[in-house]
mmCIF file of all heavy atoms in Angstrom:
data_model
loop_
_atom_site.group_PDB
_atom_site.id
_atom_site.type_symbol
_atom_site.label_atom_id
_atom_site.label_comp_id
_atom_site.label_asym_id
_atom_site.label_seq_id
_atom_site.Cartn_x
_atom_site.Cartn_y
_atom_site.Cartn_z
ATOM 1 N N THR A 77 106.418 151.153 99.103
ATOM 2 C CA THR A 77 107.740 150.619 98.827
ATOM 3 C C THR A 77 107.565 149.375 97.894
ATOM 4 O O THR A 77 106.508 148.757 97.935
ATOM 5 C CB THR A 77 108.535 150.218 100.095
ATOM 6 O OG1 THR A 77 107.787 149.174 100.750
ATOM 7 C CG2 THR A 77 108.692 151.395 101.007
ATOM 8 N N VAL A 78 108.588 149.023 97.191
ATOM 9 C CA VAL A 78 108.561 147.900 96.322
ATOM 10 C C VAL A 78 108.403 146.629 97.169
ATOM 11 O O VAL A 78 108.977 146.481 98.226
ATOM 12 C CB VAL A 78 109.931 147.777 95.490
ATOM 13 C CG1 VAL A 78 109.959 146.442 94.738
ATOM 14 C CG2 VAL A 78 110.073 148.936 94.540
ATOM 15 N N GLY A 79 107.435 145.776 96.726
ATOM 16 C CA GLY A 79 107.152 144.545 97.452
ATOM 17 C C GLY A 79 105.895 144.691 98.310
ATOM 18 O O GLY A 79 105.382 143.632 98.781
ATOM 19 N N TYR A 80 105.408 145.878 98.519
ATOM 20 C CA TYR A 80 104.225 146.016 99.340
ATOM 21 C C TYR A 80 102.973 145.382 98.603
ATOM 22 O O TYR A 80 102.784 145.536 97.338
ATOM 23 C CB TYR A 80 103.857 147.542 99.580
ATOM 24 C CG TYR A 80 102.630 147.795 100.309
ATOM 25 C CD1 TYR A 80 102.542 147.558 101.687
ATOM 26 C CD2 TYR A 80 101.458 148.206 99.708
ATOM 27 C CE1 TYR A 80 101.389 147.714 102.392
ATOM 28 C CE2 TYR A 80 100.264 148.399 100.386
ATOM 29 C CZ TYR A 80 100.288 148.149 101.724
ATOM 30 O OH TYR A 80 99.094 148.412 102.398
ATOM 31 N N ILE A 81 102.196 144.659 99.383
ATOM 32 C CA ILE A 81 101.056 143.985 98.794
ATOM 33 C C ILE A 81 99.746 144.402 99.498
ATOM 34 O O ILE A 81 99.750 144.357 100.792
ATOM 35 C CB ILE A 81 101.144 142.439 98.834
ATOM 36 C CG1 ILE A 81 102.325 141.950 97.964
ATOM 37 C CG2 ILE A 81 99.877 141.778 98.392
ATOM 38 C CD1 ILE A 81 102.665 140.519 98.040
ATOM 39 N N TYR A 82 98.783 144.786 98.766
ATOM 40 C CA TYR A 82 97.456 145.155 99.257
ATOM 41 C C TYR A 82 96.549 144.039 98.806
ATOM 42 O O TYR A 82 96.332 143.897 97.522
ATOM 43 C CB TYR A 82 97.032 146.523 98.649
ATOM 44 C CG TYR A 82 95.663 146.995 98.966
ATOM 45 C CD1 TYR A 82 95.467 148.071 99.807
ATOM 46 C CD2 TYR A 82 94.546 146.322 98.425
ATOM 47 C CE1 TYR A 82 94.184 148.526 100.004
ATOM 48 C CE2 TYR A 82 93.248 146.798 98.684
ATOM 49 C CZ TYR A 82 93.040 147.932 99.443
ATOM 50 O OH TYR A 82 91.812 148.393 99.697
ATOM 51 N N ALA A 83 95.958 143.234 99.633
ATOM 52 C CA ALA A 83 95.106 142.107 99.268
ATOM 53 C C ALA A 83 93.726 142.396 99.780
ATOM 54 O O ALA A 83 93.539 143.084 100.801
ATOM 55 C CB ALA A 83 95.626 140.817 99.872
ATOM 56 N N TRP A 84 92.726 141.898 99.064
ATOM 57 C CA TRP A 84 91.349 142.055 99.498
ATOM 58 C C TRP A 84 90.485 140.795 99.141
ATOM 59 O O TRP A 84 90.881 140.008 98.278
ATOM 60 C CB TRP A 84 90.746 143.288 98.786
ATOM 61 C CG TRP A 84 90.486 143.087 97.361
ATOM 62 C CD1 TRP A 84 89.368 142.611 96.802
ATOM 63 C CD2 TRP A 84 91.425 143.284 96.275
ATOM 64 N NE1 TRP A 84 89.484 142.477 95.382
ATOM 65 C CE2 TRP A 84 90.813 142.926 95.116
ATOM 66 C CE3 TRP A 84 92.732 143.776 96.227
ATOM 67 C CZ2 TRP A 84 91.430 142.998 93.834
ATOM 68 C CZ3 TRP A 84 93.358 143.807 94.988
ATOM 69 C CH2 TRP A 84 92.675 143.488 93.831
ATOM 70 N N SER A 85 89.350 140.674 99.797
ATOM 71 C CA SER A 85 88.364 139.726 99.487
ATOM 72 C C SER A 85 87.000 140.313 99.967
ATOM 73 O O SER A 85 86.906 140.954 101.008
ATOM 74 C CB SER A 85 88.625 138.358 100.070
ATOM 75 O OG SER A 85 88.587 138.425 101.547
ATOM 76 N N GLY A 86 85.961 140.034 99.166
ATOM 77 C CA GLY A 86 84.717 140.566 99.502
ATOM 78 C C GLY A 86 83.618 140.005 98.679
ATOM 79 O O GLY A 86 83.728 138.909 98.210
ATOM 80 N N ASP A 87 82.467 140.752 98.592
ATOM 81 C CA ASP A 87 81.371 140.248 97.833
ATOM 82 C C ASP A 87 81.614 140.181 96.317
ATOM 83 O O ASP A 87 82.723 140.401 95.919
ATOM 84 C CB ASP A 87 80.115 141.117 98.105
ATOM 85 C CG ASP A 87 80.307 142.547 97.665
ATOM 86 O OD1 ASP A 87 81.222 142.879 96.887
ATOM 87 O OD2 ASP A 87 79.498 143.416 98.149
ATOM 88 N N LYS A 88 80.585 139.895 95.523
ATOM 89 C CA LYS A 88 80.777 139.744 94.066
ATOM 90 C C LYS A 88 81.253 140.996 93.461
ATOM 91 O O LYS A 88 81.988 140.978 92.436
ATOM 92 C CB LYS A 88 79.474 139.223 93.417
ATOM 93 C CG LYS A 88 78.346 140.206 93.424
ATOM 94 C CD LYS A 88 77.109 139.669 92.722
ATOM 95 C CE LYS A 88 75.974 140.608 92.596
ATOM 96 N NZ LYS A 88 76.182 141.756 91.714
ATOM 97 N N ASP A 89 80.962 142.175 93.959
ATOM 98 C CA ASP A 89 81.439 143.436 93.347
ATOM 99 C C ASP A 89 82.956 143.581 93.643
ATOM 100 O O ASP A 89 83.680 144.091 92.814
ATOM 101 C CB ASP A 89 80.704 144.631 93.976
ATOM 102 C CG ASP A 89 79.220 144.678 93.522
ATOM 103 O OD1 ASP A 89 78.949 144.198 92.313
ATOM 104 O OD2 ASP A 89 78.380 145.173 94.259
ATOM 105 N N ALA A 90 83.370 143.188 94.814
ATOM 106 C CA ALA A 90 84.791 143.418 95.190
ATOM 107 C C ALA A 90 85.649 142.239 94.686
ATOM 108 O O ALA A 90 86.817 142.456 94.333
ATOM 109 C CB ALA A 90 84.935 143.538 96.706
ATOM 110 N N GLY A 91 85.088 141.032 94.710
ATOM 111 C CA GLY A 91 85.920 139.901 94.321
ATOM 112 C C GLY A 91 87.020 139.642 95.313
ATOM 113 O O GLY A 91 86.936 139.956 96.486
ATOM 114 N N ALA A 92 88.152 139.039 94.811
ATOM 115 C CA ALA A 92 89.282 138.814 95.652
ATOM 116 C C ALA A 92 90.549 138.923 94.782
ATOM 117 O O ALA A 92 90.513 138.573 93.595
ATOM 118 C CB ALA A 92 89.230 137.441 96.284
ATOM 119 N N GLY A 93 91.584 139.413 95.388
ATOM 120 C CA GLY A 93 92.833 139.538 94.703
ATOM 121 C C GLY A 93 93.872 140.311 95.493
ATOM 122 O O GLY A 93 93.720 140.554 96.706
ATOM 123 N N GLU A 94 94.927 140.758 94.795
ATOM 124 C CA GLU A 94 95.946 141.583 95.454
ATOM 125 C C GLU A 94 96.691 142.444 94.461
ATOM 126 O O GLU A 94 96.691 142.081 93.248
ATOM 127 C CB GLU A 94 96.920 140.689 96.192
ATOM 128 C CG GLU A 94 97.646 139.615 95.317
ATOM 129 C CD GLU A 94 98.568 138.702 96.123
ATOM 130 O OE1 GLU A 94 98.393 138.519 97.378
ATOM 131 O OE2 GLU A 94 99.497 138.140 95.588
ATOM 132 N N LYS A 95 97.197 143.488 94.941
ATOM 133 C CA LYS A 95 97.942 144.411 94.097
ATOM 134 C C LYS A 95 99.351 144.545 94.778
ATOM 135 O O LYS A 95 99.492 144.796 95.966
ATOM 136 C CB LYS A 95 97.246 145.764 94.028
ATOM 137 C CG LYS A 95 97.904 146.736 93.056
ATOM 138 C CD LYS A 95 97.155 148.094 93.047
ATOM 139 C CE LYS A 95 95.854 147.931 92.319
ATOM 140 N NZ LYS A 95 95.178 149.243 92.169
ATOM 141 N N GLU A 96 100.402 144.429 93.959
ATOM 142 C CA GLU A 96 101.757 144.537 94.508
ATOM 143 C C GLU A 96 102.530 145.620 93.767
ATOM 144 O O GLU A 96 102.436 145.753 92.541
ATOM 145 C CB GLU A 96 102.445 143.176 94.287
ATOM 146 C CG GLU A 96 103.878 143.230 94.824
ATOM 147 C CD GLU A 96 104.577 141.848 94.634
ATOM 148 O OE1 GLU A 96 103.957 140.874 94.182
ATOM 149 O OE2 GLU A 96 105.800 141.786 94.958
ATOM 150 N N ILE A 97 103.269 146.423 94.551
ATOM 151 C CA ILE A 97 104.201 147.405 93.957
ATOM 152 C C ILE A 97 105.377 146.648 93.455
ATOM 153 O O ILE A 97 106.072 146.022 94.258
ATOM 154 C CB ILE A 97 104.594 148.538 94.974
ATOM 155 C CG1 ILE A 97 103.334 149.267 95.423
ATOM 156 C CG2 ILE A 97 105.586 149.461 94.351
ATOM 157 C CD1 ILE A 97 103.568 150.288 96.521
ATOM 158 N N LYS A 98 105.677 146.711 92.145
ATOM 159 C CA LYS A 98 106.767 146.044 91.517
ATOM 160 C C LYS A 98 108.009 146.912 91.291
ATOM 161 O O LYS A 98 109.122 146.380 91.419
ATOM 162 C CB LYS A 98 106.386 145.428 90.201
ATOM 163 C CG LYS A 98 105.238 144.442 90.298
ATOM 164 C CD LYS A 98 105.508 143.234 91.148
ATOM 165 C CE LYS A 98 105.960 142.105 90.331
ATOM 166 N NZ LYS A 98 106.225 140.867 91.081
ATOM 167 N N ASN A 99 107.765 148.216 91.083
ATOM 168 C CA ASN A 99 108.906 149.107 90.843
ATOM 169 C C ASN A 99 108.456 150.579 91.082
ATOM 170 O O ASN A 99 107.319 150.883 90.847
ATOM 171 C CB ASN A 99 109.404 148.994 89.383
ATOM 172 C CG ASN A 99 110.701 149.720 89.137
ATOM 173 O OD1 ASN A 99 111.556 149.838 90.034
ATOM 174 N ND2 ASN A 99 110.822 150.219 87.916
ATOM 175 N N ILE A 100 109.391 151.309 91.588
ATOM 176 C CA ILE A 100 109.111 152.752 91.793
ATOM 177 C C ILE A 100 110.263 153.566 91.240
ATOM 178 O O ILE A 100 111.398 153.248 91.510
ATOM 179 C CB ILE A 100 108.925 153.091 93.300
ATOM 180 C CG1 ILE A 100 107.701 152.393 93.855
ATOM 181 C CG2 ILE A 100 108.865 154.619 93.527
ATOM 182 C CD1 ILE A 100 107.510 152.582 95.415
ATOM 183 N N ILE A 101 109.941 154.550 90.405
ATOM 184 C CA ILE A 101 110.949 155.564 90.029
ATOM 185 C C ILE A 101 110.492 156.841 90.768
ATOM 186 O O ILE A 101 109.450 157.439 90.392
ATOM 187 C CB ILE A 101 110.932 155.788 88.487
ATOM 188 C CG1 ILE A 101 111.314 154.511 87.804
ATOM 189 C CG2 ILE A 101 111.907 156.890 88.124
ATOM 190 C CD1 ILE A 101 111.149 154.499 86.307
ATOM 191 N N GLU A 102 111.237 157.167 91.799
ATOM 192 C CA GLU A 102 110.808 158.195 92.778
ATOM 193 C C GLU A 102 110.371 159.464 92.070
ATOM 194 O O GLU A 102 111.058 160.021 91.193
ATOM 195 C CB GLU A 102 111.939 158.487 93.763
ATOM 196 C CG GLU A 102 111.671 159.452 94.827
ATOM 197 C CD GLU A 102 110.449 159.062 95.643
ATOM 198 O OE1 GLU A 102 110.273 157.889 96.015
ATOM 199 O OE2 GLU A 102 109.599 159.959 96.030
ATOM 200 N N GLY A 103 109.179 159.900 92.438
ATOM 201 C CA GLY A 103 108.641 161.176 91.985
ATOM 202 C C GLY A 103 108.043 161.081 90.542
ATOM 203 O O GLY A 103 107.453 162.058 90.085
ATOM 204 N N LYS A 104 108.183 159.891 89.854
ATOM 205 C CA LYS A 104 107.743 159.877 88.488
ATOM 206 C C LYS A 104 106.853 158.697 88.131
ATOM 207 O O LYS A 104 105.898 158.825 87.321
ATOM 208 C CB LYS A 104 108.940 159.776 87.562
ATOM 209 C CG LYS A 104 109.840 161.050 87.644
ATOM 210 C CD LYS A 104 111.003 160.957 86.654
ATOM 211 C CE LYS A 104 111.812 162.225 86.741
ATOM 212 N NZ LYS A 104 112.911 162.215 85.860
ATOM 213 N N ARG A 105 107.097 157.512 88.685
ATOM 214 C CA ARG A 105 106.427 156.297 88.141
ATOM 215 C C ARG A 105 106.241 155.191 89.163
ATOM 216 O O ARG A 105 107.180 154.949 89.895
ATOM 217 C CB ARG A 105 107.207 155.822 86.973
ATOM 218 C CG ARG A 105 106.717 154.594 86.234
ATOM 219 C CD ARG A 105 107.654 154.324 85.054
ATOM 220 N NE ARG A 105 107.390 153.044 84.503
ATOM 221 C CZ ARG A 105 107.003 152.837 83.256
ATOM 222 N NH1 ARG A 105 106.801 153.873 82.434
ATOM 223 N NH2 ARG A 105 106.755 151.654 82.790
ATOM 224 N N ILE A 106 105.116 154.556 89.156
ATOM 225 C CA ILE A 106 104.870 153.410 90.048
ATOM 226 C C ILE A 106 104.319 152.306 89.137
ATOM 227 O O ILE A 106 103.404 152.438 88.395
ATOM 228 C CB ILE A 106 103.841 153.763 91.105
ATOM 229 C CG1 ILE A 106 104.287 154.913 91.932
ATOM 230 C CG2 ILE A 106 103.567 152.543 92.027
ATOM 231 C CD1 ILE A 106 103.167 155.695 92.519
ATOM 232 N N GLU A 107 105.026 151.125 89.248
ATOM 233 C CA GLU A 107 104.573 149.965 88.495
ATOM 234 C C GLU A 107 104.028 148.945 89.433
ATOM 235 O O GLU A 107 104.687 148.611 90.425
ATOM 236 C CB GLU A 107 105.739 149.422 87.671
ATOM 237 C CG GLU A 107 106.363 150.378 86.699
ATOM 238 C CD GLU A 107 107.687 149.889 86.082
ATOM 239 O OE1 GLU A 107 108.028 148.694 86.249
ATOM 240 O OE2 GLU A 107 108.337 150.684 85.441
ATOM 241 N N MET A 108 102.879 148.444 89.109
ATOM 242 C CA MET A 108 102.173 147.515 90.005
ATOM 243 C C MET A 108 101.668 146.278 89.147
ATOM 244 O O MET A 108 101.502 146.386 87.977
ATOM 245 C CB MET A 108 100.986 148.142 90.713
ATOM 246 C CG MET A 108 101.366 149.324 91.543
ATOM 247 S SD MET A 108 99.940 150.347 91.988
ATOM 248 C CE MET A 108 99.927 151.421 90.539
ATOM 249 N N GLU A 109 101.469 145.202 89.865
ATOM 250 C CA GLU A 109 100.796 144.068 89.267
ATOM 251 C C GLU A 109 99.572 143.874 90.086
ATOM 252 O O GLU A 109 99.598 143.762 91.315
ATOM 253 C CB GLU A 109 101.684 142.847 89.283
ATOM 254 C CG GLU A 109 101.029 141.622 88.652
ATOM 255 C CD GLU A 109 101.785 140.372 88.700
ATOM 256 O OE1 GLU A 109 102.770 140.319 89.477
ATOM 257 O OE2 GLU A 109 101.526 139.456 87.917
ATOM 258 N N ILE A 110 98.406 143.664 89.382
ATOM 259 C CA ILE A 110 97.165 143.315 90.084
ATOM 260 C C ILE A 110 96.857 141.870 89.727
ATOM 261 O O ILE A 110 96.912 141.493 88.504
ATOM 262 C CB ILE A 110 96.029 144.289 89.783
ATOM 263 C CG1 ILE A 110 94.820 144.026 90.600
ATOM 264 C CG2 ILE A 110 95.687 144.281 88.273
ATOM 265 C CD1 ILE A 110 93.790 145.186 90.601
#
């Protein structure tokens, strides 16, 4: 759903950050910001 955030932190390969769902067009398109 819009607003969902998946955040992570780890070693140098994983780094740290988050990805957020910004918009969804049902069945067709998902817009995210990382």
Side-chain angles (χ1 to χ4, degrees):
T77 64
V78 173
Y80 177 76
I81 296 175
Y82 174 114
W84 72 90
S85 64
D87 62 17
K88 67 178 182 73
D89 292 329
E94 61 185 19
K95 187 181 287 186
E96 179 179 357
I97 298 175
K98 301 298 262 182
N99 189 34
I100 295 176
I101 299 172
E102 184 58 39
K104 295 183 181 180
R105 180 179 169 117
I106 303 152
E107 299 171 11
M108 298 162 276
E109 180 182 21
I110 189 165

